[in-house]
Structures are given as structure tokens and as C-alpha cells.
Amino acid sequence: MATLLSFIFVLGVLIFVHELGHFLFAKAFGVRVLKFSLGFGNKVVGRQWGETEYLISAFPLGGYVKMYGEEPGEEVSAQDRQVSFAHKPSWQRFLIVFAGPLFNMVFAVLLFFSLFLFAGLPEPVDSSTVGAVTAGSAAERAGLEKGDTILAINGERTTSWLQVSGLIRDSAGKPLALEVQRGDRRLHMEAMPEMLPIRNLFGEEVGQKYMIGIAPTNELTYIRASVGQYAQAALVQTWNLSYLTVVGIVKMIQRVIPASELGGPIRIAEIAGQQLEAGWMNFLYFMGLLSVNLGILNLLPVPVLDGGHLAFLSLEMLRRRPLSERTMEISQKIGIALLGTLMIFVFYNDIVRLVQRWMAS
């Protein structure tokens, strides 16, 4: 139940933020907004306020803002042209469409800023404590365990992970005498370094060095700072996540990241539930990450997505005339087909993961 509720909350908030961007910019430019819906399909509940009907619809994986004069070929009376989306200058239409992804990015910045303001800026704790031991590695064969603190290597004292990593790297493959603290015991071990590949975040080999198969702890400390520093850190965090999202998409196209890694609603629900169990800070960070992903993915130049509309509007501004209705119609159909295929694929991935987990248990 917690997983389902956390999923509904995360998705509902992010969709609301996204559609709110379209809505506010449309209203700012004098466009008549007919509907503001969370979800697609049949209306579950709704209420009319002014010229806009606010809805919650049956299918929750998305939302929309319906504007007057938005549909290709829609008839617009002469007296209503001033409130028609299609009759607004192309730059205004561009900003209305762009506002959805923009609000997702701004929301992520605000979330990260709030987290930093509440908890402080995270900094990794640098120590010589082992956070993980790779199965079958030289470290495991030597007897090292997670939680061990390496006090010395070949008689040289170590107090930071940089020292530990450097001494192993510079070992030239010769045996290493390790002095280790485990609880209240002091142990002596010998490990034989191996030349192993260095891999980046996406699993690509970027070099080689001598290693024994250990990793540092992920322990963090939080420091207080000024409001300006929190704001800067929130902007940097959002930028870094945006960059990683874009690079991740490129790596998937290049088949560096297998398509089986793509997750859909079921996977998002699982992660949301796990993060909620880990604490509100983890949950809100995950929401910020998801907001960045939603903003970036919506900017992809695929018809139906905001990025497709932005591409059409960019062409319109360059050509000084809109694309033909026939071209727009065909593009929309292609976009719907692509999006439908992607949805089926990610649902398939989610179900396969569930089945594999069930069979392994």
C-alpha cells in the first residue's frame, strides 16, 4: 500500500507541476484554457471554475492542458482569435509548450534547495574503511570484509581512501601487507593486486589500474552553509542530473546501456516505495531526480511530446510559416505509435524483472 501511495503522490505532483507550467504561461499570454487534467481518458471527477474545467481522469500516467484553438484545423471564430492558441505569435506558443519541462526543472531545483536548507550540504566522509568487497576478488581471498578499516599498507599508515587507492595503484602488482582493524581486533593480511579495467558510471572501460576489489563507504556528513550556497548547490545538482540523463539517453542509443535497463511505472513505483522506507530525504531526492528526468524526456524531439511541438514551432519560426496540417497529422500518428511501443516495452521490462525476482526467491 505504501508503494502504491508513494507512486501516486510522486506521479501526481510531477504531472501537476508540468501541466501547471503550460497552464500559467497560457493564461499569461491570454490563451483560453478549456481543461486542466491530471490523467488521460474518462473523467473521474471534475469541476468548472471560470472558463476552465479541472479534471482527474481515469488513466493516471500523464496529464494535459487543453487550450482553445490548439487542434490543427479547429474552427476559431473571428471574435475569439485573440484567445486562440493557434493565433498567438510563434514565440508565445513556443514558451507555453516549453514551460512544462521548465517547471519540472525549476521544481527539482526547489526540492534540492529545500533538502539542503533542512539538512545541510552533503560531503563524503573520507576514511580508509572498506564499504564493499567484490566477490572472488584478491581482497576477498585475502580475508578482507565490509567494515574493515585499513590502518596501513606495507607499513605506511593510511587514514584516507585516496591513500589506500594510491598505494594499491602504485604497487606494480607486488604483494601488499595489510594491517586491518576489525572491531576490537587488529589483523594482518596479504593481498595480491590485479590489473583490472576502470569503468565509468555507464560501465564503459576507460582505463586499467592495479586493484584488489574493494570500494569505499558511501557515508556522508552534512555541513551548514549560506542560503546562497544552498541555491548554488541545488542548481549544480539539477544541472548534473540533467547532463547524466542526456548522456544516459545517448548511451542507450549507442547500446552501451542495454534497453532492458529501461523501467516503467511498475519500476518507478517500486523505487518510490523503497525510497519512502529509507526516509523522507531519500524520497524527496528521488522525486527531484524523477522531475529532472521528466523534464529532459519531454524535450526529446518526438511528435506528441513537448519536444516534438517545440521542433515544429522552431521550423515554423525559421520558415516564417507553419507546417501543413497533413504533415502535422502524420507526425502526430508516428509520435503516438512510438510512444505506445515504448510504453509496451517498458511494461514488458517491468514484468520480466518481477518474474525473474519471483523465480529467484
Side-chain angles (χ1 to χ4, degrees), residues 90-358:
S90 52
W91 67 270
Q92 290 186 3
R93 285 179 281 137
F94 187 98
L95 289 177
I96 291 169
V97 174
F98 181 68
L102 175 64
F103 266 49
N104 281 126
M105 306 306 285
V106 171
F107 181 67
V109 172
L110 292 175
L111 269 179
F112 295 136
F113 174 78
S114 300
L115 287 173
F116 296 149
L117 190 65
F118 175 76
L121 296 179
E123 281 197 354
V125 176
D126 188 17
S127 70
S128 58
T129 300
V130 177
V133 177
T134 304
S137 65
E140 186 182 61
R141 292 193 295 272
L144 271 172
E145 296 179 3
K146 178 182 177 180
D148 289 347
T149 298
I150 300 174
L151 303 175
I153 297 178
N154 290 341
E156 188 170 337
R157 308 306 296 179
T158 54
T159 57
S160 72
W161 197 258
L162 188 64
Q163 290 173 306
V164 171
S165 179
L167 287 169
I168 296 172
R169 181 194 61 220
D170 298 336
S171 65
K174 297 176 182 177
L176 298 173
L178 308 177
E179 186 179 344
V180 174
Q181 187 76 38
R182 180 181 297 167
D184 57 358
R185 292 185 296 161
R186 188 164 292 194
L187 309 173
H188 291 85
M189 308 172 183
E190 184 175 278
M192 181 69 71
E194 302 169 302
M195 183 65 77
L196 296 171
I198 305 169
R199 299 190 183 278
N200 63 16
L201 185 63
F202 303 102
E204 296 174 291
E205 186 175 336
V206 293
Q208 290 189 330
K209 69 174 182 179
Y210 283 107
M211 292 185 276
I212 62 172
I214 54 175
T217 63
N218 293 320
E219 187 180 354
L220 297 172
T221 186
Y222 293 87
I223 61 171
R224 304 310 303 179
S226 68
V227 172
Q229 287 173 309
Y230 295 144
Q232 181 181 7
L235 287 167
V236 169
Q237 181 71 23
T238 304
W239 170 260
N240 288 341
L241 290 175
S242 301
Y243 174 77
L244 287 174
T245 301
V246 172
V247 173
I249 292 169
V250 172
K251 296 297 182 185
M252 198 162 287
I253 293 170
Q254 295 173 339
R255 297 186 180 181
V256 173
I257 301 174
S260 58
E261 292 296 313
L262 276 173
I266 298 173
R267 181 60 179 151
I268 294 171
E270 285 182 328
I271 297 174
Q274 291 165 3
Q275 297 306 311
L276 184 59
E277 288 178 5
W280 277 100
M281 286 185 61
N282 295 66
F283 181 70
L284 292 177
Y285 182 87
F286 172 68
M287 188 185 291
L289 169 63
L290 207 58
S291 191
V292 169
N293 275 260
L294 182 61
I296 295 296
L297 291 174
N298 261 284
L299 289 173
L300 292 176
V302 177
V304 181
L305 295 179
D306 291 334
H309 294 300
L310 293 174
F312 293 147
L313 287 166
S314 298
L315 285 171
E316 180 181 329
M317 286 186 279
L318 288 171
R319 299 168 74 241
R320 298 184 183 276
R321 67 181 188 277
L323 296 172
S324 69
E325 288 185 16
R326 179 62 177 163
T327 301
M328 296 286 286
E329 185 181 337
I330 293 172
S331 299
Q332 295 287 341
K333 288 179 179 178
I334 293 172
I336 291 170
L338 288 172
L339 211 56
T341 303
L342 179 61
M343 286 299 294
I344 292 169
F345 182 72
V346 296
F347 267 115
Y348 169 79
N349 280 350
D350 286 349
I351 292 167
V352 167
R353 270 189 286 266
L354 289 174
V355 171
Q356 288 175 340
R357 196 178 308 149
W358 174 75

